[in-house]
Amino acid sequence: MSLMAQLNEKALRDGVPLSVHLDITYRCNERCEHCYLDHHGRDELSTAEMRTLLEQLADAGVFFLTISGGEPFVRPDCFKIISYARALGFNVKVKTNGLLIREREAARLRELDVEQIQISVYSHRPEIHDAITKVHGSLRRTLAAIRRLRSQGLKVTMANVLMKSNHRDSEGVRLLAQDLGAHYTLDPTITPMMNGHTGVLELRLPSSELRSVFNNSNLVGDVANFCAPPPPVDDGVLDGYSCSAGHTSCYITPQGDVYPCVQFPLPCGNVRREHFAAIWRK
């Protein structure tokens, strides 16, 4: 058993929230057509509240911390939050569109020893990528950020979200990631908006198209494992856990609401009213 598998098994057994996804803002400088968020900045946790929350997460045993948004770097205190998280010993991953990452920001992320930066790239063609983000020149700026991050020796993952408008460009994005020395990952997941609106689901790639993508080893690696069917359902399966949501991981909104997962928006408590550990235990 790998070290990560052992770590996850122990976390599950001991009830430890090993991984937390923390959105520090819903504000964003892009308006991606498939985004599930309302881009408001109402009632966000303050810098002091973020520090208190990070301390509580550390005390609860959290190790892997994903800092995201919205666009996290629109918060002027983003680097203060990342810096404090690293001082507490978190393994930090940052999700960003890269538009605000210049040379100074890339160097600071290197100084803080951030584990990984994930950046969404929808196409290798500006006319497609920019149409999705609704920001002219966004692909050029995003790729410039990736080059700056890579020049600092940072790990970069280019996340390619597949939709009707861009699915034919996945191979082009993979090759672009290869040229830039970045990792490539494929994501066909389009989810309803947090407010319940389902109109964005119209952007989903039809299953007939997904089949050909999922059988392309260049894009998904080991096709046999990637497309492996679920095991037969028996009592053992039903007694197990289908995923880590609420068991070894959770999601926290910019307003402090705790959910089992970003795709499972069931409010379980708020860190402004309760200590994180109390919310987690119940």
Side-chain angles (χ1 to χ4, degrees):
M1 184 184 294
S2 70
L3 180 60
M4 272 306 304
Q6 292 179 55
L7 194 60
N8 278 298
E9 187 177 273
K10 181 171 174 53
L12 182 60
R13 185 171 63 247
D14 296 345
V16 173
L18 187 61
S19 305
V20 166
H21 178 146
L22 171 62
D23 278 351
I24 64 174
T25 184
Y26 283 158
R27 289 173 287 156
C28 192
N29 48 5
E30 292 184 335
R31 285 295 180 270
C32 298
E33 62 182 2
H34 61 289
C35 187
Y36 53 84
L37 299 173
D38 289 319
H39 297 296
H40 64 79
R42 296 188 295 272
D43 204 26
E44 295 174 351
L45 296 177
S46 67
T47 307
E49 287 175 316
M50 284 288 180
R51 287 173 64 94
T52 299
L53 172 59
L54 291 173
E55 291 166 1
Q56 292 181 10
L57 296 180
D59 289 343
V62 175
F63 180 61
F64 298 106
L65 180 68
T66 297
I67 293 176
S68 183
E71 169 48 48
F73 290 107
V74 302
R75 275 191 70 138
D77 61 352
C78 182
F79 273 108
K80 289 182 180 179
I81 294 169
I82 296 172
S83 178
Y84 197 56
R86 289 293 297 126
L88 290 171
F90 291 108
N91 175 292
V92 174
K93 172 182 176 180
V94 177
K95 291 187 176 182
T96 171
N97 57 38
L99 298 192
L100 298 176
I101 296 178
R102 296 166 291 269
E103 296 292 348
R104 184 177 62 178
E105 287 77 17
R108 183 65 177 134
L109 289 166
R110 173 70 276 173
E111 289 172 10
L112 291 170
D113 202 18
V114 169
E115 174 66 20
Q116 183 188 151
I117 317 293
Q118 179 174 309
I119 299 182
S120 294
V121 177
Y122 304 109
S123 173
H124 59 296
R125 296 185 290 162
E127 63 271 23
I128 300 298
H129 178 95
D130 293 2
I132 290 171
T133 65
K134 299 183 173 24
V135 175
H136 180 69
S138 58
L139 178 61
R140 173 182 51 79
R141 293 167 64 188
T142 290
L143 296 182
I146 292 172
R147 292 186 180 96
R148 292 176 188 125
L149 293 165
R150 290 296 300 131
S151 72
Q152 292 289 335
L154 287 156
K155 298 177 190 172
V156 177
T157 292
M158 284 171 48
N160 185 199
V161 179
L162 293 189
M163 294 170 276
K164 290 176 181 175
S165 59
N166 72 338
H167 75 280
R168 299 191 187 283
D169 290 357
S170 51
E171 178 64 10
V173 177
R174 186 190 71 81
L175 292 172
L176 181 58
Q178 183 175 289
D179 288 344
L180 293 171
H183 178 68
Y184 171 83
T185 184
L186 190 67
D187 184 2
T189 310
I190 304 295
T191 59
M193 293 187 69
M194 295 289 269
N195 62 13
H197 180 62
T198 60
V200 292
L201 299 184
E202 292 297 320
L203 303 172
R204 277 179 173 171
L205 202 59
S207 57
S208 57
E209 297 284 356
L210 278 177
R211 199 168 294 114
S212 63
V213 171
F214 286 173
N215 281 281
N216 184 334
S217 60
N218 284 334
L219 298 177
V220 302
D222 186 343
V223 171
N225 284 329
F226 191 83
C227 296
V233 175
D234 56 26
D235 289 343
V237 171
L238 293 176
D239 287 340
Y241 298 105
S242 58
C243 74
S244 61
H247 299 297
T248 59
S249 66
C250 68
Y251 165 66
I252 304 176
T253 74
Q255 293 75 37
D257 292 314
V258 180
Y259 298 161
C261 169
V262 69
Q263 295 184 38
F264 188 176
L266 175 71
C268 300
N270 186 284
V271 297
R272 279 178 165 145
R273 296 187 291 273
E274 281 184 279
H275 196 286
F276 172 77
I279 298 171
W280 177 258
R281 282 196 301 269
K282 73 178 184 181

